[in-house]
Structure formats: C-alpha cells, structure tokens
Amino acid sequence: MQAISRSSVVVGYTPYIDSVADLTGGKELIVSGMKQERERCMAALRRAAEGATVALVSSGDPGVYGMAGLALELAQAHDFQCTIEIIPGVSAANAAAARLGAPLMLDYACISLSDLLIPWERIRQRIELLAQADMALALYNPRSTKRVRQLEEAVEILLRHRPAATPVGIVTAASAADETTTLTTLGNLLEQTITMRSLVIIGNSDTRELNGMLVTARGYRL
C-alpha cells in the first residue's frame, strides 16, 4: 500500500489494477490484458527511467511466478537506468495453505502446470522426481478451459507414488470475495471444479485431515 501510494504511475494486468482501485486515484495508469507481460514491464521501466516512481503490480508475490524476474531481465537487456525494489507479497501457495490449515509445514515444492513458457516434458520430469521425494506439492495454474491434460497427467504420475487416499486441498480465488475451499483426495481430485484461479495442494505421507483442516506433521513429539 505504501509503495503504491508513493508512486505516480501504476502498471499492471487489468484485473489486478481494478483490485487496488482505491489506492490509485489521481495516478497515471498503464493497464493491459493477458500475455502482455513483457509490454507492461517495458512500459514500467521506460517511465521509471524517465524519472517517475512506478509501481508494477503482480498478483500474489512478484517474485513467485510474478513480474520481478522479467523486470530485472529487461532492465539489464535494455540498459534501463533505474532502481528496482522488489516488495514481497503473500504467495498463492501460502495464502491457500493458511485457508486449508497447515499442509506445508515441512519441505514442499511449487510447480506451475502451465507449459506456455516451459516445455511440458520438463514439468513432467519435475513432478515425477518430487512425487518420488514424498514432498507436499503446491500446483499453480492447474487447469484452464483449453488446458486439461496437464493436471490429468500430473495426477497419473502422483498416483504411481502415492495412495489414492492422499489428502488434497483446493483453494480457488484465495483471499478474494468469491474464494472457495475444497478438501478431497488424490484419487478424487479430477472430479473437482478446478480453474486457473485454483491452487491445489497435494499432501505427502505425513499429511492428515484433522477436524476439517489439512496438517503435514513436522515430527514434533506430542
């Protein structure tokens, strides 16, 4: 909030800028739609190089599947002379975990199932190795209207290494007004309503459902 209030220019994806409309009155707004991340970063860097104080807004955490990395890469590639400060946010994995209980209490990994920028075979390999490592998994971008098979293949891989009864939590639109939360199992995961706004947390062998909450035991003596 402080960073946005101190900025004269706010740049971001249209729904994200809409969500902070109460903070942007009187400011220059640069907004655009999906798949225009590079253009947004370039616009933000140009205005910053001109001397403006610019807020480049991401959802969740800008350093976790957000805009921070791209902004740093473009600043170096195009020799923009400006100072960049990364302000951490609450990642979707941690926001969803808090809604579900404490499913990420031990080692865990975040995997995006979107193969728009990463080859699917590389993503498959990571899922396979993490499944064998018995780590809890937070799946970002699990499914869209056009992209269904990725989640199906991920579940197929996981079921080779984990019981169908493995606890799973789904949080859609975490922290938003239309947030929904679902507890299920790995064997029943594909029957649930899952969208691009969903975050799926798949437990490991130490994850249990306790009074409607998921808990991954860390090993404390009770």
Side-chain angles (χ1 to χ4, degrees), residues 70-130:
L70 179 57
L72 292 169
E73 289 177 309
L74 288 172
Q76 191 278 332
H78 295 272
D79 195 28
F80 282 107
Q81 300 301 309
C82 57
T83 300
I84 298 177
E85 179 184 1
I86 314 301
I87 300 174
V90 178
S91 72
N94 285 283
R99 292 292 192 260
L100 295 169
L104 304 181
M105 276 289 290
L106 201 57
D107 299 337
Y108 71 93
C110 296
I111 297 287
S112 172
L113 297 191
S114 172
D115 55 357
L116 182 63
L117 301 174
I118 302 294
W120 176 241
E121 283 307 311
R122 190 192 299 184
I123 298 171
R124 278 182 54 93
Q125 181 184 37
R126 291 173 178 172
I127 297 169
E128 181 77 43
L129 294 172
L130 291 167

Side-chain angles (χ1 to χ4, degrees), residues 145-203:
T145 54
K146 296 181 179 179
R147 190 172 45 77
V148 177
R149 66 176 180 83
Q150 286 85 345
L151 182 60
E152 294 174 350
E153 289 189 37
V155 170
E156 179 183 326
I157 293 168
L158 287 160
L159 283 171
R160 291 203 294 266
H161 302 280
R162 302 186 187 185
T166 300
V168 173
I170 305 164
V171 180
T172 300
S175 301
D178 56 342
E179 174 187 287
T180 62
T181 302
T182 303
L183 296 184
T184 186
T185 63
L186 183 57
N188 293 323
L189 176 55
L190 295 177
E191 300 172 11
Q192 311 305 315
T193 300
I194 300 171
T195 72
M196 276 289 288
R197 299 179 71 200
S198 301
L199 195 292
V200 179
I201 294 182
I202 300 170

Side-chain angles (χ1 to χ4, degrees), residues 24-59:
T24 60
K27 301 181 185 298
E28 177 187 346
L29 302 180
I30 301 176
V31 299
S32 57
M34 292 183 67
K35 299 184 180 181
Q36 297 183 43
E37 292 85 357
R38 185 182 183 279
E39 291 76 6
R40 285 198 291 277
C41 277
M42 288 294 290
L45 289 165
R46 288 193 188 98
R47 294 294 287 114
E50 293 166 359
T53 301
V54 181
L56 177 60
V57 178
S58 289
S59 68

